[in-house]
Amino acid sequence: MVLTKETGFIDHERIYNYLANTKPPEKKEVEEILAHARELKGISFEETEKLLLVEDNELLEEIFQTANYIKNEIYGKRLVLFAPLYVSNLCNNDCAYCGFRVSNRKLKRATLTVEQVKKEVEELVSEGHKRVLLVSGEGLGETALDYTVRCIDAIYSVKKGNGEIRRINVNIAPLSVDGFKKLKAAKIGTYQLFQETYHYPTYKKVHPRGPKSDYLYHLTAMDRAFQAGIDDVGVGILFGLYDYKFEILALLQHIKHLEKEFGLGPHTISVPRIEPANGAPLSFEPPYPVSDRDFKKIIALLRITVPYTGIILSTRETPEMRREAFSLGVSQISAGSRTNPGGYTAKEAGEQFSLGDHRSIDEVIYDISKMGYLPSFCTACYRLGRTGLDFMDLAKPGLIKLYCLPNAITTFKEYLVDYASEKTKKVGEKLIEKMLKEIPSEKVREKTIKYLKTIENGERDVYL
Ligand code: SAM
Ligand code: SF4
């Protein structure tokens, strides 16, 4: 691999050459790769590189069907739900696509106090949320890490009714190894950071100033997080900035690098597409817009390549697109989201971008339950220390259905008892009946039914 001082382990030349000189694979070869994929062990990155070039509609349909098969076999109908919690929209960077960019003088800026954070969390908890993604701009300088840790403590401290937040994932600017150690000590779930674009010239263009303009420091964030002992990391690409084929090939190089150095790839991959953001002209006309068809291809390819890695879709997508994405491999979604600090309790500070889905969590849950998908608020793995490689050991088709399915059922039951509207309750109870039948062991099914009774009797937070 050619390493350069600017681009690190992302070998741009190799990607340019591959895209310029490789023909799409023949039908026979595609079908061989898809047969391999159906063994549920993932396919080689060389095989993914080939599938990426498929443009033929019939073959694409076969790719979608394979992704759907893998999603069903491994995850069943579970969908994990979370809410983003924006704590500060101050930022010293000037990302061309983001409403928080420093040059957006019109944005009303705010950094929540610890008390305000608690208020936001009370609201989220009383809607039924159990997982949040803490999000922040990069404007607090040296105080940022201490502030983040105080926010995390505040979030975990809130108890309201029968609820509390049980897992906090974090999406903040990259840290040093020591910084990541502090973040780990604060008991975070996943550390998320998106490279946005792996294409160096584009990266430099859309990040003209501020700490984020350092491509290599951003790229190597996950190395430092792993070195600090954080073993669940989430990567992502902001689709629309550059050619999606380049981005996927580079993402594969990133994953390969992490696997080689640390024996472990990312826990999740996020797939945002650029949404219009006031004060960020580029966001209204992304240079490389990704069509719905290509977006579906991206999700399907990721599901086929890394079957045990979570794929996260945010509120940014419309309900219609989300529906299709679930069937292709998305395993986590946000619901009832606001992208401005204080957005759950007030509406004063400016938002980061506009949302494609404006529904409340109850509406989202009603909708996905009606489609036959099982909303899950499970946080068991992280709390039992099943992270990193331990999680990967669990991530086998049979085992996921033995642990994750019962835990999805019990956490959904908690939601139905404590927070759901009457119409959601009705659909939800029926869904639970149906899902119980899918638990592959009689013993575990009985245990789950027992747990459901204890929840009806007032007990909470029971899991396998
Ligand atoms: N400031 C940190 C950073 O940039 O990495 C973390 C928080 S930032 C608010 C979270 C993510 O929002 C970014 O990584 C970017 O991918 C996404 N984002 C920014 N502007 C967006 C837009 N217009 N549409 C969709 N996503 C956007
Ligand atoms: Fe700041 Fe992050 Fe937005 Fe860039 S994407 S302007 S770093 S909040």
Side-chain angles (χ1 to χ4, degrees):
M1 189 185 290
V2 185
L3 294 183
T4 75
K5 257 198 348 231
E6 285 85 24
T7 62
F9 48 81
I10 302 299
D11 187 343
H12 285 49
E13 282 308 316
R14 184 183 180 280
I15 301 177
Y16 294 145
N17 281 336
Y18 180 79
L19 290 177
N21 301 318
T22 319
K23 288 203 188 83
E26 299 290 330
K27 183 175 161 73
K28 187 165 171 283
E29 196 174 7
V30 172
E31 285 174 347
E32 276 167 14
I33 297 174
L34 294 181
H36 182 203
R38 280 174 183 259
E39 292 169 18
L40 305 177
K41 294 189 200 99
I43 57 176
S44 71
F45 290 173
E46 289 70 28
E47 288 174 312
T48 311
E49 289 178 352
K50 286 182 185 160
L51 293 186
L52 186 65
L53 302 182
V54 170
E55 294 296 348
D56 177 84
N57 278 335
E58 259 175 52
L59 289 181
L60 261 189
E61 195 48 47
E62 287 187 37
I63 292 177
F64 294 161
Q65 281 170 13
T66 307
N68 178 243
Y69 170 81
I70 293 171
K71 157 92 200 234
N72 280 337
E73 284 301 303
I74 294 179
Y75 295 86
K77 291 289 186 189
R78 265 178 340 114
L79 269 181
V80 171
L81 294 184
F82 71 93
L85 175 58
Y86 281 70
V87 292
S88 172
N89 63 7
L90 267 65
C91 199
N92 294 327
N93 293 311
D94 207 9
C95 310
Y97 44 80
C98 179
F100 293 173
R101 64 203 296 241
V102 66
S103 61
N104 183 9
R105 308 258 176 251
K106 289 206 179 119
L107 188 83
K108 193 157 179 224
R109 306 277 171 174
T111 299
L112 300 185
T113 62
V114 162
E115 282 316 307
Q116 286 170 323
V117 170
K118 286 186 185 164
K119 286 238 157 59
E120 289 279 287
V121 175
E122 281 176 15
E123 177 58 32
L124 287 171
V125 169
S126 49
E127 288 170 14
H129 281 288
K130 298 283 187 284
R131 287 173 166 246
V132 296
L133 170 66
L134 186 155
V135 187
S136 175
E138 191 173 1
L140 298 177
E142 290 191 347
T143 61
L145 181 56
D146 285 344
Y147 170 72
T148 306
V149 171
R150 282 204 306 280
C151 288
I152 293 172
D153 291 343
I155 297 169
Y156 280 134
S157 76
V158 172
K159 309 273 173 233
K160 184 138 196 266
N162 285 330
E164 71 272 300
I165 296 300
R166 299 175 185 160
R167 176 176 177 130
I168 304 171
N169 298 333
V170 172
N171 185 335
I172 58 166
L175 301 167
S176 63
V177 175
D178 280 346
F180 279 125
K181 282 186 183 157
K182 281 193 191 147
L183 200 59
K184 181 184 160 69
K187 298 196 166 43
I188 61 158
T190 308
Y191 171 69
Q192 279 189 8
L193 185 74
F194 308 158
Q195 186 62 23
E196 323 293 7
T197 172
Y198 285 98
H199 187 242
Y200 182 79
T202 305
Y203 188 95
K204 292 306 269 186
K205 206 154 67 192
V206 299
H207 304 114
R209 62 186 72 86
K212 193 164 168 179
S213 61
D214 187 338
Y215 175 98
L216 210 51
Y217 188 72
H218 206 80
L219 180 69
T220 49
M222 297 319 183
D223 295 60
R224 294 190 297 282
F226 275 137
Q227 281 158 16
I230 294 177
D231 52 6
D232 282 354
V233 301
V235 298
I237 294 164
L238 184 57
F239 286 104
L241 293 176
Y242 191 61
D243 176 10
Y244 79 88
K245 289 183 181 162
F246 182 98
E247 302 289 13
I248 294 292
L249 293 171
L251 172 68
L252 294 178
Q253 291 189 0
H254 193 177
I255 298 175
K256 217 180 211 172
H257 165 81
L258 294 176
E259 285 178 347
K260 181 168 160 258
E261 297 297 322
F262 305 98
L264 187 65
H267 184 64
T268 56
I269 300 174
S270 296
V271 290
R273 280 194 288 190
I274 295 181
E275 291 294 330
N278 284 334
L282 179 137
S283 68
F284 290 89
E285 271 181 75
Y288 288 82
V290 171
S291 67
D292 286 353
R293 176 181 182 263
D294 288 339
F295 193 55
K296 282 163 42 182
K297 177 172 157 189
I298 289 166
I299 295 170
L301 285 186
L302 293 176
R303 181 40 67 240
I304 289 173
T305 309
V306 280
Y308 300 103
T309 300
I311 301 180
I312 304 180
L313 194 72
S314 73
T315 316
R316 299 166 176 98
E317 292 298 333
T318 60
E320 293 70 35
M321 186 64 220
R322 286 191 190 212
R323 264 180 214 126
E324 296 213 53
F326 299 162
S327 74
L328 294 172
V330 163
S331 56
Q332 296 189 23
I333 58 163
S334 54
S337 310
R338 300 282 174 276
T339 64
N340 50 332
Y344 296 106
T345 47
K347 288 200 171 45
E348 281 151 25
E351 64 180 10
Q352 188 196 10
F353 50 80
S354 55
L355 301 169
D357 186 343
H358 300 272
R359 298 168 303 162
S360 70
I361 177 171
D362 195 68
E363 284 169 305
V364 172
I365 288 188
Y366 174 75
D367 193 36
I368 61 183
S369 310
K370 263 197 105 169
M371 287 160 62
Y373 286 98
L374 176 66
S376 173
F377 294 92
C378 180
T379 53
C381 275
Y382 147 73
R383 290 154 84 214
L384 292 171
R386 291 194 297 245
T387 60
L389 282 172
D390 291 338
F391 172 80
M392 283 301 165
D393 282 345
L394 179 79
K396 304 278 178 310
L399 287 182
I400 284 197
K401 283 193 179 154
L402 266 187
Y403 286 90
C404 306
L405 178 57
N407 288 338
I409 292 175
T410 53
T411 53
F412 184 40
K413 177 75 177 183
E414 286 188 354
Y415 176 82
L416 293 179
V417 174
D418 288 336
Y419 311 103
S421 65
E422 280 311 312
K423 76 174 194 181
T424 303
K425 250 183 215 161
K426 239 187 185 160
V427 181
E429 292 292 353
K430 261 199 202 139
L431 183 65
I432 287 183
E433 285 303 313
K434 196 168 153 215
M435 289 295 142
L436 281 170
K437 295 193 188 110
E438 296 200 3
I439 298 178
S441 138
E442 185 74 26
K443 222 165 119 196
V444 175
R445 192 175 320 125
E446 277 167 16
K447 199 166 176 184
T448 310
I449 293 173
K450 218 156 84 205
Y451 279 174
L452 291 177
K453 294 234 163 70
T454 67
I455 292 170
E456 277 171 7
N457 293 332
E459 207 168 313
R460 293 290 173 273
D461 206 12
V462 283
Y463 52 87
L464 295 169

